[in-house]
Amino acid sequence: MNDAHPAINDPMSDQTNDPLPTWDLSDLYASMDDPAIDADFRRAETMAREFAATYAGKLADASGATVAAAIKTYETLQEVQGRLLSYAQLLFAGDSTDPAIGRFYQSVRERATAISSDLIFFTLELNRLSDALLEAKLAEPQLAQYRPWLRDLRGFRPHQLSDELEKLAHERDLTANGAWVRLFDETIAAMRVTVNDQKLTVSDALNKLSDPDRSVREAAGKGIGAAFQDNGRLFCLITNTLAKDKEIEDTWRHYPRPGSARNRANMVEDEVVDALVTAVRASYPRLAHRYYLMKAKWLGLPKLQHWDRNAPLPDDDDRHIAWREARDRVLTAYGTFSPEMAEVGRRFFDGPWIDAELRPGKSGGAFAHPTVPSAHPYLLLNYHGKTRDVMTLAHELGHGVHQVVAANQGYLMSGTPLTLAETASVFGEMLTFRSLLDSATPQQRRIMLAAKTEDMLNTVVRQIAFYEFETRLHDERRKGELLPERIGEIWLQVQTESLGPAFEFSPEYSVFWSYVPHFIHSPFYVYAYAFGDCLVNALYAVFQTGHPGFQRKYMEMLKAGGTKRHQELLAPFGLDASDPAFWNKGLDVISGFIDELEGTGG
């Protein structure tokens, strides 16, 4: 996610013969030709037809035990499909330029969509049960275990369409929303960016924006701008189409505003998100504005350009960190906090369940994919050996540990809303950072504090600016299609507001919205990063006070998966995210780091 290091087709992380891992997906399926794939599809197809014949139109009169048995079968079907889809998704993420993989990925999605069409009736019919009737059925202990899932499911009752419309929307996604997302992914993967006569992938060009040589950063910034400008009409069309598609669906489902559907899925109220956004935007001057004015001074520049935002500090050698050292640093930090966390984390390296190799066609950035409870998660990274890459490893491993320990809740209740899913990842980062900081010299401490501050600004300020960009774009799209120039204007407005007077933006920066995959894959996802970071800052402050049984309570929070909402999960720590003052606790931590940097002569 940072500086490219070295050639993208070299599987070695450095010159010390420290190979980067690639994942072994055989715990899902042996290959695209594995007979088990067709066998699982045939089993799921048969089960789905029998399921519909057995339960469709009969849930209202069924006993609690019968409804529980139906949910159990439904969960099994979802897991079978989840395994198939996970395998196809991970293959595609590993190389989206291989036509055979692209064909396989699409075929799996189409076949899975056909199966799940037979199952759509089930959740819709459950939601049509009256509260009193469902409550009577929940007296049956076998059904009561699914109460959290039913609670969350019924949160969508006001937004539910008829069975026929739900089925139509589901089946058309492949050729509607899903097709545009695939077009975006394949376009990004195939693009090459010219940087000083080198042809780089988008991921590697973005990493050059962290190069210590300012001329390299500038060449990367201008090269990225030129490449995305060349594809500007396509990215504008994709963005406009998906925004309009979302408006149509939101209108039919009676969501009051563009972000409401995401908030509903995250099980968080619009007002809580509003409080977070308001608190962060009010803190722009004391956070990003103040820090980047200081950074401009460190770099000896009257103004920062966009390619200076992630520039290393002049006295930061940011030596290459071998993969094995990164692994040891993260596992040591995890183990100091909780041996259980480290033990679970170690499984990812032993698996191997991690793909960190640098290669063309691979998805950029990083993610943790939970797959299914009967298997295990996988992590994707692009490891360049920088300190930020170590933090990315700590972040994604936090997700992975969370997904492993929550798996006992089963397929329907192991997943957590995005807001809480980011808690474990950001906490993993904080543990690793604090572990490294404790052993640092004063000079190293200053460099580390600056790097951590930048990461937190990227996680909090930048993501809320992204959220603001999406909000303005979607609001304006409802009045008509937006030209690329107008989208660029909105982008520059939110960047200027959030980053402050230290920056002046060169013209090519107006297209940089185009590369952000979250806008395409998961609209309004981005505030979850800020939610998680501020929540973790507050949570870590509780840990530092010596809160009794903190580690035990923390692991219990992770193991709860999706069975509890944020209010229930945070109550044992004395925290309440619905309190408007809560967010300032997290933002004060970032401000405190900047205070310390100013105190060191920044």
Side-chain angles (χ1 to χ4, degrees):
M1 296 177 73
N2 303 19
D3 180 38
H5 185 109
I8 60 174
N9 60 352
D10 185 351
M12 312 305 287
S13 67
D14 57 14
Q15 287 72 46
T16 61
N17 198 32
D18 183 37
L20 292 171
T22 57
W23 52 31
D24 177 3
L25 300 180
S26 63
D27 287 343
L28 297 173
Y29 295 101
S31 70
M32 289 189 288
D33 301 319
D34 189 342
I37 292 175
D38 187 61
D40 280 353
F41 265 126
R42 289 181 182 277
R43 178 164 68 101
E45 287 161 354
T46 301
M47 286 181 67
R49 286 192 296 269
E50 293 175 350
F51 183 81
T54 303
Y55 296 111
K58 302 170 186 173
L59 295 181
D61 296 327
S63 67
T66 299
V67 175
I71 294 177
K72 187 66 179 174
T73 303
Y74 177 79
E75 185 170 39
T76 300
L77 273 162
Q78 293 295 329
E79 173 131 357
V80 172
Q81 289 193 93
R83 179 181 287 266
L84 290 159
L85 286 164
S86 296
Y87 181 67
Q89 289 160 356
L90 292 169
L91 276 180
F92 189 71
D95 186 0
S96 60
T97 61
D98 184 328
I101 291 176
R103 180 178 181 276
F104 175 78
Y105 174 56
Q106 182 67 9
S107 298
V108 168
R109 292 177 66 225
E110 290 178 2
R111 204 165 171 184
T113 297
I115 294 168
S116 54
S117 290
D118 287 331
L119 306 177
I120 284 177
F121 81 90
F122 186 60
T123 53
L124 301 176
E125 196 168 322
L126 282 173
N127 270 351
R128 282 198 293 268
L129 300 179
S130 70
D131 291 340
L133 182 57
L134 180 60
E135 198 59 40
K137 294 181 190 296
L138 281 164
E140 169 58 53
Q142 291 171 283
L143 183 59
Q145 66 175 312
Y146 289 106
R147 182 182 286 274
W149 179 72
L150 290 165
R151 172 203 63 197
D152 291 347
L153 176 66
R154 289 172 80 78
F156 292 93
R157 289 173 79 191
H159 312 291
Q160 189 169 294
L161 305 176
S162 69
D163 291 19
E164 292 78 10
L165 283 175
E166 291 286 3
K167 191 170 184 179
L168 175 64
H170 177 70
E171 292 182 359
R172 286 194 69 247
D173 181 71
L174 287 167
T175 54
N177 183 292
W180 291 101
V181 171
R182 180 182 174 188
L183 176 61
F184 173 86
D185 288 344
E186 293 187 356
T187 302
I188 293 283
M191 284 175 63
R192 293 297 178 266
V193 178
T194 302
V195 180
N196 292 333
D197 299 323
Q198 285 185 293
K199 295 287 188 182
L200 302 179
T201 63
V202 171
S203 175
D204 281 307
L206 289 167
N207 284 318
K208 290 290 186 186
L209 295 176
S210 298
D211 196 281
D213 185 335
R214 192 172 192 236
S215 66
V216 173
R217 297 198 305 272
E218 180 177 0
K222 292 185 173 178
I224 293 165
F228 279 90
Q229 188 68 53
D230 289 345
N231 290 275
R233 290 183 64 189
L234 175 60
F235 288 120
C236 182
L237 176 61
I238 292 171
T239 299
N240 270 291
T241 302
L242 289 175
K244 184 63 179 179
D245 182 75
K246 179 168 175 30
E247 179 196 352
I248 293 168
E249 182 160 1
D250 285 349
T251 301
W252 276 88
R253 295 189 183 279
H254 305 294
Y255 284 111
R257 60 194 201 191
S260 296
R262 173 66 60 194
N263 297 344
R264 180 71 276 166
N266 282 345
M267 302 302 158
V268 63
E269 301 76 17
D270 285 357
E271 295 73 25
V272 171
V273 177
D274 290 346
L276 165 65
V277 173
T278 299
V280 174
R281 293 191 67 206
S283 293
Y284 283 170
R286 71 179 178 125
L287 300 181
H289 296 189
R290 186 161 61 115
Y291 176 79
Y292 287 117
L293 285 169
M294 193 161 51
K295 182 167 187 175
K297 185 173 143 188
W298 293 337
L299 295 176
L301 298 170
K303 288 282 187 179
L304 297 175
Q305 295 292 336
H306 70 87
W307 55 77
D308 297 317
R309 185 173 55 82
N310 284 331
L313 300 188
D315 46 358
D316 179 8
D317 60 3
D318 201 11
R319 70 172 182 83
H320 185 270
I321 300 167
W323 174 255
R324 284 171 292 193
E325 183 180 347
R327 174 198 64 197
D328 293 345
R329 286 186 180 191
V330 173
L331 290 179
T332 297
Y334 276 34
T336 301
F337 173 76
S338 164
E340 183 182 4
M341 274 184 68
E343 187 278 323
V344 174
R346 190 168 286 108
R347 296 185 214 167
F348 285 82
F349 299 93
D350 295 342
W353 304 346
I354 304 175
D355 190 329
E357 187 182 66
L358 308 173
R359 59 180 184 272
K362 181 180 173 181
S363 177
F367 65 72
H369 194 307
T371 73
V372 291
S374 59
H376 54 75
Y378 284 94
L379 310 184
L380 179 143
L381 299 88
N382 287 273
Y383 186 79
H384 295 270
K386 300 298 184 181
T387 301
R388 280 196 174 110
D389 294 312
V390 179
M391 292 301 164
T392 299
L393 174 60
H395 180 102
E396 300 304 337
L397 193 64
H399 279 307
V401 169
H402 193 181
Q403 291 160 356
V404 168
V405 300
N408 286 336
Q409 298 292 348
Y411 187 88
L412 296 180
M413 294 186 290
S414 58
T416 56
L418 295 177
T419 43
L420 294 170
E422 290 302 330
T423 302
S425 54
V426 177
F427 197 85
E429 271 190 85
M430 182 63 83
L431 289 173
T432 303
F433 168 71
R434 294 287 186 176
S435 173
L436 298 176
L437 194 67
D438 288 345
S439 59
T441 65
Q443 177 61 19
Q444 290 172 330
R445 181 181 178 88
R446 176 176 171 271
I447 296 295
M448 290 180 65
L449 277 173
K452 182 60 176 174
T453 299
E454 290 196 17
D455 285 344
M456 295 171 96
L457 292 176
N458 284 336
T459 303
V460 177
V461 170
R462 187 164 173 78
Q463 301 306 322
I464 291 301
F466 281 1
Y467 179 82
E468 191 67 18
F469 167 77
E470 285 189 282
T471 299
R472 295 181 193 182
L473 185 148
H474 281 260
D475 284 345
E476 198 163 316
R477 178 63 181 91
R478 295 189 172 197
K479 302 170 187 172
E481 186 163 285
L482 280 72
L483 294 173
E485 295 77 11
R486 178 55 189 151
I487 300 177
E489 288 172 1
I490 298 171
W491 172 257
L492 290 177
Q493 285 171 4
V494 299
Q495 295 302 311
T496 301
E497 291 168 10
S498 61
L499 295 176
F503 283 86
E504 63 179 15
F505 296 111
S506 50
E508 74 279 350
Y509 192 57
S510 65
V511 301
F512 268 56
W513 57 270
S514 313
Y515 81 82
V516 182
H518 302 78
F519 299 156
I520 305 301
H521 291 190
S522 308
F524 299 96
Y525 174 107
V526 288
Y527 78 80
Y529 290 116
F531 192 109
D533 197 279
C534 289
L535 192 156
V536 164
N537 288 343
L539 201 58
Y540 200 87
V542 174
F543 170 56
Q544 288 181 307
T545 65
H547 184 87
F550 184 93
Q551 285 91 333
R552 174 183 55 78
K553 292 178 182 178
Y554 179 78
M555 293 305 295
E556 286 174 355
M557 179 178 74
L558 299 191
K559 291 173 183 177
T563 62
K564 296 180 180 179
R565 301 272 181 92
H566 64 84
Q567 298 95 329
E568 299 171 85
L569 290 170
L570 295 178
F573 305 98
L575 298 173
D576 179 7
S578 65
D579 179 359
F582 170 81
W583 301 112
N584 281 319
K585 294 179 183 177
L587 297 172
D588 287 346
V589 173
I590 308 174
S591 185
F593 285 172
I594 299 172
D595 290 343
E596 183 173 343
L597 287 167
E598 286 181 332
T600 62

